Amino acid sequence: MHSMIEFISGILISKTPAHAVVETNGVGYLLNISLNTFDALSGKSSIKLLTHFAVREDAHVLYGFITEAERSMFRSLISVSGIGPASAIAALSTLKPSELQSAILAGDVDGLKKIKGIGAKSAQRIIVDLRGKMESGDPIFEFFNESGNTIRSEALRALRNLGFDPRKAQKVVDDILEMSDESMRIEDLIKQSLKSL
């Protein structure tokens, strides 16, 4: 499900609340963005946006996100049946990723219904599909806890990409971090985790 383009960094040529054009090496990329990302771009000229590349029958569309939390929430939302990229962008334009997570965990159907294009049925489906993943500490939702512990989430992402079970990986990584000192390097953390997985 990962796209072939991971991020785009370059000069911000133009932006509207829905799109940004970023020029990199003489190519201008049009990215669909949320209001959340639009706000974060104000006053910036060189930018880096994480991307999600969607291939539809009628179009290839690039979506741009200012943070990993935002991109993850977008990908989680579009994994829910009946929620397309437009609704996911509308959700991220209405609420921040952490607010969306709170609404989902609280089962707040009314809060989610405020999002353009999301009715009661879709809101319930989002809650049913995503609440369990969030409660079980799925590493996708790692960085919402703003713990600033990036080495932990980076290691978990690497292990998940290598195909390890996220829950097992999380336990192993946490155990190693508990016993190690603060200055552990990410490479060492991943190597030690691989020995235990």
Side-chain angles (χ1 to χ4, degrees):
M1 155 92 179
H2 284 297
S3 50
M4 60 178 197
I5 302 172
E6 181 63 20
F7 65 85
I8 290 177
S9 63
I11 305 299
L12 181 62
I13 300 297
S14 66
K15 69 179 173 31
T16 71
H19 300 104
V21 175
V22 182
E23 183 188 328
T24 177
N25 296 328
V27 180
Y29 292 91
L30 175 75
L31 297 101
N32 288 12
I33 57 171
S34 70
L35 276 177
N36 187 31
T37 290
F38 173 76
D39 288 342
L41 294 177
S42 85
K44 293 196 168 72
S45 57
S46 314
I47 61 162
K48 173 180 172 184
L49 289 176
L50 299 168
T51 55
H52 177 83
F53 185 56
V55 178
R56 300 202 311 254
E57 279 177 21
D58 57 343
H60 289 189
V61 187
L62 263 177
Y63 295 89
F65 307 95
I66 197 73
T67 60
E68 183 59 74
E70 197 188 25
R71 179 169 65 178
S72 271
M73 182 56 83
F74 173 86
R75 286 178 168 167
S76 301
L77 288 168
I78 61 173
S79 74
V80 176
S81 137
I83 303 294
S87 299
I89 287 287
L92 289 162
S93 294
T94 311
L95 299 168
K96 293 190 171 76
S98 55
E99 293 167 341
L100 273 166
Q101 188 191 29
S102 303
I104 292 166
L105 286 171
D108 180 1
V109 171
D110 289 338
L112 294 174
K113 270 180 17 193
K114 291 190 180 121
I115 298 161
K116 184 176 174 298
I118 290 185
K121 275 216 170 79
S122 298
Q124 282 160 345
R125 204 176 291 135
I126 289 170
I127 290 164
V128 168
D129 280 15
L130 299 183
R131 190 195 234 163
K133 289 179 184 157
M134 290 177 179
E135 283 176 341
S136 63
D138 189 315
I140 287 187
F141 298 105
E142 269 304 295
F143 19 67
F144 292 131
N145 308 331
E146 302 302 329
S147 60
N149 194 343
T150 50
I151 164 166
R152 177 175 183 264
S153 41
E154 286 295 322
L156 287 170
R157 188 171 319 138
L159 293 166
R160 187 171 77 232
N161 290 346
L162 289 169
F164 289 102
D165 175 77
R167 288 181 195 48
K168 275 199 192 115
Q170 204 167 345
K171 185 172 176 350
V172 168
V173 166
D174 285 345
D175 288 350
I176 293 169
L177 283 173
E178 238 165 70
M179 304 191 3
S180 74
D181 59 22
E182 288 299 291
S183 61
M184 184 165 211
R185 296 199 348 265
I186 179 90
E187 305 83 69
D188 299 330
L189 177 57
I190 293 169
K191 277 185 194 142
Q192 284 193 34
S193 304
L194 288 172
K195 285 180 191 151
S196 310
L197 281 164

